[in-house]
Amino acid sequence: MHGIGRRYWTLTALIVVAAAAILLWMGRVPICECGTVKLWHGVVMSAENSQHLSDWYTFSHVIHGFGFYGLAWVIGRRYPLGWRLAAAVVLESGWEVLENTDLIINRYREATIALDYYGDSVVNSVSDIGAMILGFVLASRLPIWLIVTMTVVMELGVLLAIRDNLTLNILMLLYPLEAVRQWQAGT
């Protein structure tokens, strides 16, 4: 696929499998404790958020892929595209592991409206990595103006739908603002 050979896809798959194994070793649930795997779960304030194949935060992971492609292009464009993809998958997998530690889970609970957040299921984390890969591949094939437009549309769409998005997620993790938290909670 577009400059990414079989060996890089194999390497990428091995990285994803390693991330899933680490998450299982950490005690993450393989699938939603509800016992089902849904293609989409759109209710943010529920125990099933971040437990299924996709949710509102999937869009953020596509945007991660856009960003990782841009970063890899800036600092490593002399390397093969497949190598840059594998590096992006290492970064995304590392985030998925870190995101599911008590440190980050507790930070989400303290600093954001995600009071009942208890981490992702392994299937959700693997799907998030897949969404990042999709974003990376799209960014490698589409014109930059379209990637920027897609980013803005996804950020605004998710913001309007759930009062959250990647930008607010980063802000609230790094520098929580009470006014933003109250707006997100609808108060």
Side-chain angles (χ1 to χ4, degrees), residues 38-44 46-50 52 54-56:
K38 297 177 187 173
L39 177 60
W40 170 261
H41 182 77
V43 182
V44 175
S46 78
E48 292 185 40
N49 189 50
S50 298
H52 296 283
S54 61
D55 54 43
W56 287 107

Side-chain angles (χ1 to χ4, degrees), residues 22-33:
I22 291 167
L23 289 163
L24 287 168
W25 175 79
M26 290 170 52
R28 304 307 316 152
V29 296
I31 65 169
C32 179
E33 290 184 335

Side-chain angles (χ1 to χ4, degrees), residues 126-142:
V126 169
S127 293
D128 288 347
I129 296 167
M132 186 285 300
I133 292 169
L134 173 64
F136 187 98
V137 171
L138 287 173
S140 75
R141 301 180 124 206
L142 298 175

